[in-house]
Amino acid sequence: MGAAQIHPTALVAPGAVLGEDVVVGPYSLIGEHVRIGARTRIGPYCAIDGHTVIGPDNHFYRYCSIGGIPQDKKYAGEPTALEIGAGNTFREFVTVNTGTAQDVGTTRLGNDNWIMAYVHIAHDCQLGSHIVIANSVQLAGHIHIGDWAILGGLSAVHQFVRIGAHVMIGGTSSVRQDVPPYMIGAGDSFRPVGINAEGLGRRGFTPADIQVLKDAYKILYRRQLSVEQAIEALAALQAEHPAEAPAVQTLLDFLSASNRGIARP
């Protein structure tokens, strides 16, 4: 373990805090309210500012802009924040903004996320962990994304949309309504076509879990039920399959919290 390695052409403000073995590349700028965890690597020509806290073992490739002020006309200079966990990768030209006073005030990303080139993550977004966001995906403000979600390249997500855990969204999709956990689909507008069974199997869900979630999909989308009616039917399905109840509970919790309505086939 050692001191941070700062290239002679980089500019690090006096108030910034850099952990052990942080690397700051040529011509990068680090603001005075930035805290960066150990072993994080910052490539050339990056700008990291705002009230930004970054955990250990992150990697920012060249030309990232992290912690910039919100692209929101209501923003009036409030000291809003950005929090980034551990082990995330940010490829070229990624932009991530701080939060706004109109929401929780903090944009958050969890751990082990893979953010590809030209992605924009707007103010107040709340991202979990193990998420993959492919090239040029654009996230508007106030979006929530659950763990293990995958968003295909060139997709756009409307503000305030919630995307559940383990969702897979195909490339060039336009997502305007909430996407419940476990779904796979694509389109403009996004349309679910089934359960992300392959992804769930890779992440340790049992065949029984996956079958119950397929049954849940039929309840939600094939019976022409309202969301309220579907919640009742899903609760009954959960009671019939106690071993698989946690997987169904994740879906029930999401549906109960949805405000925009859910994407439909």
Side-chain angles (χ1 to χ4, degrees):
M1 303 290 286
Q5 303 172 45
I6 303 171
H7 193 274
T9 61
L11 296 178
V12 179
V17 178
L18 275 58
E20 293 183 322
D21 296 319
V22 167
V23 176
V24 181
Y27 301 102
S28 285
L29 308 175
I30 310 297
E32 62 177 330
H33 300 297
V34 174
R35 299 176 62 186
I36 301 176
R39 300 173 302 281
T40 289
R41 293 174 290 165
I42 300 164
Y45 298 99
C46 291
I48 302 180
D49 55 1
H51 290 77
T52 296
V53 177
I54 298 170
D57 300 305
N58 292 284
H59 190 180
F60 298 88
Y61 281 71
R62 49 192 170 270
Y63 298 105
C64 289
S65 179
I66 308 298
I69 64 173
Q71 297 181 98
D72 187 326
K73 285 188 173 182
K74 297 184 296 298
Y75 180 71
E78 300 91 347
T80 55
L82 167 63
E83 296 177 0
I84 295 173
N88 299 285
T89 296
F90 299 83
R91 293 303 302 255
E92 296 82 356
F93 296 98
V94 168
T95 58
V96 187
N97 295 158
T98 58
T100 65
Q102 287 72 39
D103 201 326
V104 295
T106 302
T107 304
R108 293 187 176 92
L109 288 81
N111 307 317
D112 189 38
N113 295 303
W114 185 263
I115 314 297
M116 298 188 197
Y118 295 97
V119 168
H120 175 63
I121 300 173
H123 56 84
D124 301 296
C125 285
Q126 309 291 313
L127 275 61
S129 298
H130 316 294
I131 296 166
V132 176
I133 304 182
N135 298 294
S136 300
V137 169
Q138 306 296 293
L139 302 182
H142 316 283
I143 290 166
H144 289 225
I145 302 179
D147 296 345
W148 298 103
I150 298 174
L151 280 68
L154 296 168
S155 294
V157 186
H158 194 280
Q159 62 182 350
F160 293 104
V161 160
R162 291 174 175 257
I163 296 173
H166 304 283
V167 163
M168 187 168 185
I169 292 174
T172 70
S173 292
S174 177
V175 186
R176 301 185 179 98
Q177 291 181 294
D178 294 347
V179 181
Y182 315 120
M183 302 298 158
I184 186 171
D188 181 8
S189 295
F190 172 86
R191 302 176 70 171
V193 297
I195 293 297
N196 183 16
E198 184 69 23
L200 294 176
R202 292 174 181 173
R203 295 170 203 138
F205 284 71
T206 68
D209 287 330
I210 294 169
Q211 183 56 57
V212 168
L213 291 174
K214 288 181 177 179
D215 293 341
Y217 178 88
K218 294 175 183 177
I219 289 172
L220 188 57
Y221 288 122
R222 299 285 176 81
R223 293 190 184 176
Q224 305 300 315
L225 302 176
S226 68
V227 171
E228 292 75 17
Q229 292 170 329
I231 288 173
E232 293 182 7
L234 290 169
L237 176 70
Q238 183 184 43
E240 295 171 6
H241 300 274
E244 294 73 41
V248 179
Q249 188 63 49
T250 298
L251 182 57
L252 284 168
D253 291 343
F254 185 96
L255 293 173
S256 297
S258 177
N259 292 319
R260 289 189 58 82
I262 61 171
R264 292 191 174 274

